[in-house]
Amino acid sequence: MSISIIGSVAATAVPITSDTFKTKYHPNSGYAPTIETFLTFGQSIKAEASSPPIVDNKPWEPFTCRADFEFVELAHQAALNKDQTDKMLQLIWQIAEGHAKFTFRSHAEVSKAWDRAATQMTPFEKHVVSVPHKKEELEFDVHTRPLWDWALDLLQDPLLAPHFIWDAQHLYKRDGTDFKQFIHEPWTADQWCVPFAFILYADKTHFTTSGHVKAYPVIAHCTNLPVHIRNGDGIGGGRVVGWLPIVPTDSNSDGKLSYMNLKCVVWHKAFIKLLKSIILYSKTGFAHKCFDTTMQWLYPLILLLSAAYEEQYMFLRVILHLDISHFDRCVMALIHGLNSNCPCPVYLIPSIKLTDLRMAYPT
């Protein structure tokens, strides 16, 4: 027979048999060993489990209040960066202090608002281009916003209409003895004409939020608008007019001629889809009544095509393939890559003479 002591209180003697349990505590705990029968072992744990649950009346601590905690939790779940978090807090305080009106109450209302706004602008269209490669037909999705429809959106915007420039200008600065011409905007160049011109920028990139997802946007700017407008973030600024397909990389084919040709063909066909809406008007022109009721006969023109080295020698081949006389001023290199005889995108320098800086070569 044994006596169990818990703290300083003596427990009832329990006969030691084959179905008894013994609990031994750490020597410094102050608890004596206990002996329990099979029926009583664990009853204290069961009793504790059946007791009312522990309730933390302030689970948001150490945050100041529950609303603060819920905000930072939502910001974390949405992966908001510093600028986005600051803008969200500014908006919340503007609403809370009565400086801004807010009406949304659900995701459905937000989606309907987006749908209504989308009808005011030229939507994207999906195209599928097929390219034969290695005895199979490969298909790629191309998403484009018709370039001409996007241009008409700009022309018909009453806020932008007064800012379009249709009259050529020559600018001069006196150098002490005479006036010297300088070029500040496209309409200040040598020729006395102002076409309806666009700048297209195309380059592969990664989405900021995901980091590993590649994208191939094409961004358009209208050069008939002043530089502070066309290069700004607001109305009249650059807009995405196309998403070109990403040709999957193949470790066995990357760098080979067949793979490079595949990328060329895919990009050619995809870029033609983007330019399709302006090809006809580049030859015939388009009559448009301007903001001051003056009729202008507009000829769309790709003035600049800005891209990385790889895209430079591919996209001009698209322009030339279209055989459009009004595209002959496109600033783009017609080269065949780093291994071509003349790889420089500006001058016709033989590849073996690239390091010779003493010679001058034609453009």
Side-chain angles (χ1 to χ4, degrees):
M1 186 171 65
S2 173
I3 299 220
S4 171
I5 304 295
I6 301 180
S8 59
V9 180
T12 306
V14 177
I16 299 178
T17 62
S18 60
D19 65 346
T20 55
F21 295 87
K22 180 179 179 180
T23 301
K24 187 177 181 180
Y25 298 93
H26 188 277
N28 295 333
S29 65
Y31 292 100
T34 61
I35 302 297
E36 298 176 273
T37 64
F38 180 82
L39 295 176
T40 60
F41 180 72
Q43 290 299 318
S44 60
I45 299 177
K46 293 180 180 179
E48 183 177 355
S50 61
S51 62
I54 299 176
V55 177
D56 185 358
N57 293 324
K58 296 183 179 180
W60 53 83
E61 291 184 344
F63 294 94
T64 305
C65 60
R66 178 171 180 170
D68 284 358
F69 169 75
E70 291 180 349
F71 172 80
V72 298
E73 184 181 37
L74 180 60
H76 176 70
Q77 292 173 348
L80 299 183
N81 58 32
K82 178 181 179 298
D83 292 339
Q84 292 169 337
T85 303
D86 288 341
K87 289 181 179 179
M88 181 66 72
L89 287 170
Q90 291 173 5
L91 177 60
I92 290 175
W93 277 107
Q94 287 176 0
I95 297 171
E97 294 174 353
H99 301 311
K101 183 180 179 180
F102 189 76
T103 62
F104 291 133
R105 293 184 177 274
S106 67
H107 178 269
E109 292 182 359
V110 175
S111 297
K112 289 180 180 178
W114 275 119
D115 292 340
R116 289 194 301 269
T119 61
Q120 305 300 313
M121 302 299 294
T122 299
F124 276 89
E125 298 176 354
K126 179 181 177 180
H127 312 273
V128 178
V129 296
S130 299
V131 179
H133 182 66
K134 293 183 178 181
K135 298 182 180 181
E136 61 177 323
E137 199 76 12
L138 302 180
E139 292 187 344
F140 299 90
D141 293 337
V142 183
H143 299 268
T144 66
R145 174 179 284 151
L147 198 56
W148 186 249
D149 293 343
W150 165 78
L152 291 181
D153 286 341
L154 296 179
L155 292 173
Q156 295 167 0
D157 192 322
L159 298 177
L160 290 176
H163 300 282
F164 277 98
I165 303 297
W166 304 114
D167 297 316
Q169 305 170 16
H170 282 180
L171 302 179
Y172 300 88
K173 183 181 185 302
R174 191 170 182 83
D175 62 357
T177 58
D178 197 4
F179 282 99
K180 298 293 184 181
Q181 183 182 0
F182 67 94
I183 298 175
H184 173 60
E185 290 276 18
W187 56 82
T188 64
D190 294 333
Q191 295 188 6
W192 286 101
C193 66
V194 182
F196 192 26
F198 310 119
I199 296 175
L200 297 182
Y201 172 80
D203 195 12
K204 289 190 290 291
T205 185
H206 290 78
F207 286 120
T208 303
T209 52
S210 57
H212 63 279
V213 177
K214 292 182 179 180
Y216 211 137
V218 179
I219 301 173
H221 301 258
C222 179
T223 63
N224 297 81
L225 291 169
V227 64
H228 69 277
I229 295 179
R230 68 172 182 266
N231 288 346
D233 296 330
I235 299 175
R239 290 295 180 267
V240 175
V241 294
W243 295 96
L244 302 183
I246 298 290
V247 180
T249 57
D250 185 349
S251 57
N252 297 325
S253 303
D254 195 15
K256 293 183 178 180
L257 180 61
S258 61
Y259 178 70
M260 295 303 296
N261 287 339
L262 171 64
K263 291 201 293 184
C264 282
V265 173
V266 171
W267 288 336
H268 287 183
K269 291 189 173 183
F271 209 69
I272 289 174
K273 295 292 185 184
L274 176 64
L275 301 179
K276 185 178 179 180
S277 63
I278 64 172
I279 293 176
L280 176 62
Y281 296 124
S282 70
K283 300 175 181 178
T284 65
F286 178 83
H288 173 70
K289 182 179 289 187
C290 297
F291 178 74
D292 59 359
T293 69
T294 302
M295 292 296 298
Q296 298 284 355
W297 200 260
L298 305 179
Y299 287 88
L301 163 74
I302 304 299
L303 181 66
L304 295 173
L305 182 55
S306 177
Y309 185 89
E310 180 183 20
E311 291 80 12
Q312 286 191 29
Y313 76 91
M314 294 184 178
F315 284 140
L316 183 59
R317 294 169 67 178
V318 178
I319 302 296
L320 297 180
H321 173 73
L322 294 176
D323 190 25
I324 303 175
S325 60
H326 295 287
F327 282 68
D328 57 359
R329 292 184 63 83
C330 175
V331 180
M332 208 66 190
L334 181 56
I335 55 179
H336 294 277
L338 293 171
N339 296 322
S340 62
N341 292 331
C342 297
C344 179
V346 180
Y347 297 98
L348 294 176
I349 306 175
S351 58
I352 59 175
K353 298 289 186 178
L354 286 174
T355 58
D356 187 358
L357 302 180
R358 299 169 298 175
M359 297 295 294
Y361 294 91
T363 57

